[in-house]
Amino acid sequence: MSYTYSVVKLFTHQTTILLYLVKHILSVITRYIQLLSAFTGVLFLGGCNLDTRMSTFVTKGPVAETQYDLFMLTVWVTLGIFIAVGGAFAFAIIKFRERPNDDRPMPSQGHGNPLVEIGLIGASILLLVIIAVPTLQGIWYTHDTPEDPESFMSAWYSGEELAEEEAENPLIVKVIGYQWWWAFESPQLGITTANEMVIPAGKVVHLELRSFDVIHSFWLPRIAGKVDLIPGRTNSMWIQAGDNFLRWKEKQGVAGPNEDSPALRAGYAAYLEEEIQNYYYGQCAEYCGDSHARMHFRATVVDNEQFAKWVIDERTGHGTPDGKTWDDWYAAYADNPDSLTGDLNEGLKLFMGRAKCATCHVVKGNPRALGVAGPNLTNVGSRMSIAAGWLNHRREEDGSIDLEKQYDNFYKWIKETDVVKPGNRMWKAGGGGIGELIDENGEPALLTEDETHKLSLYLQSLK
Ligand code: CUA
């Protein structure tokens, strides 16, 4: 009896100690978790700079501004609801809380007050209408590309080769999503580029969105909200980087809609010059496989002359490194490749030969670089980034290209494509990828350091 008693007592005692320890440890852990979350919270707040290249709070142009206004309206309405409901709740728990020696009678209990219920239903309907009307207006406004005469190609595009029937259309850009990069085609101008779109300042641009493979989503946060690219259908949207003349005047509040003068035009030109941040970041906003998070793009905003020049550069493309005609170069390449010397020629030979780049990439000008499975590389040396915006070489100070960085980026990309962008087809293409190269004996033979170097130099020269 006494033995059993001792055992039970001991057991109870130990359990008490154990419980005490567990409780103590738990409270210590909780305290650390609280402390840690407070710290991480502060760290995250550091990321709350609203004026970044991907901000939806500092918007440019009518589409993003309309969407922002709608967002803020919803914020204010819901904030009002939060304050009203939270306020009533706080009032009730403070006023009716039980106090020590509280001898107040229990407040009258009841439910089903018709006045309150009808009032709440009415208030809900009113708030929904307040949100719904501008929402519908916003959806229609951002869906239909506006007919803005100042955005018609004829009004601003000074380059040549524009079909007459396109004169009264805005610039059209066909956006095609691939795993994991973007093609930007301009059918009116007969050019195709990749990952970096070039758009004229203050002009309406109509986008047609398609996908080559899976669902992607076009998102250029400061310019416009997301629209999906869906296989088998074409979605459309419009964007405009900066206001047009009319909207600018309206915002200034200085002139009527029909007023026009050299001074006003000069003011507007200064606005375009100053107000338009000329480089925007975009991102695929729909999960689309391994490297979805690395499927970025860029939008460079330019003035009319820069745009026309860019079109000419894209249409002209590139000659051979040593100034030969392409026919002569290919004749030499076939008869006596060793006669083509120098790093750039070596790079081009690799591009056309062992590295097989030309099977997947177009380089305008080069009659045999016609592959369409990968990004168009015309003027790739003029782009501010490669690998769909993932490897950057743009200098923040002045927007120029950091050539050393650019070389490093090309080198890195060619050397370890699979590391930079896991899962991509340039590395493994079912036998044709740069990670699957073989020598004449069929043994794996990746590009050597020297080959990677020369190929990088050649790509860098495409500008
Ligand atoms: Cu494309 Cu995510």
Side-chain angles (χ1 to χ4, degrees), residues 178 180 182 215-217 284-289 292-293 295:
Y178 290 75
W180 294 276
W182 306 82
I215 301 178
H216 304 274
S217 185
C284 175
E286 178 77 41
Y287 179 69
C288 56
H292 152 72
M295 186 172 167

Side-chain angles (χ1 to χ4, degrees), residues 2-72:
S2 110
Y3 173 73
T4 322
Y5 176 73
S6 306
V7 169
V8 169
K9 196 172 164 195
L10 188 70
F11 184 71
T12 327
H13 187 63
Q14 279 181 338
T15 315
T16 318
I17 291 175
L18 198 70
L19 275 177
Y20 174 77
L21 275 178
V22 168
K23 227 167 130 184
H24 185 70
I25 290 168
L26 273 181
S27 89
V28 170
I29 290 176
T30 319
R31 208 175 310 153
Y32 274 108
I33 289 176
Q34 281 168 348
L35 213 63
L36 201 69
S37 28
F39 271 122
T40 34
V42 171
L43 282 180
F44 275 121
L45 282 179
C48 284
N49 178 9
L50 294 184
D51 188 8
T52 62
R53 289 190 199 287
M54 294 194 66
S55 176
T56 49
F57 291 94
V58 183
T59 48
K60 292 283 178 185
V63 176
E65 277 167 16
T66 306
Q67 290 163 337
Y68 172 80
D69 291 345
L70 191 58
F71 169 74
M72 286 316 293

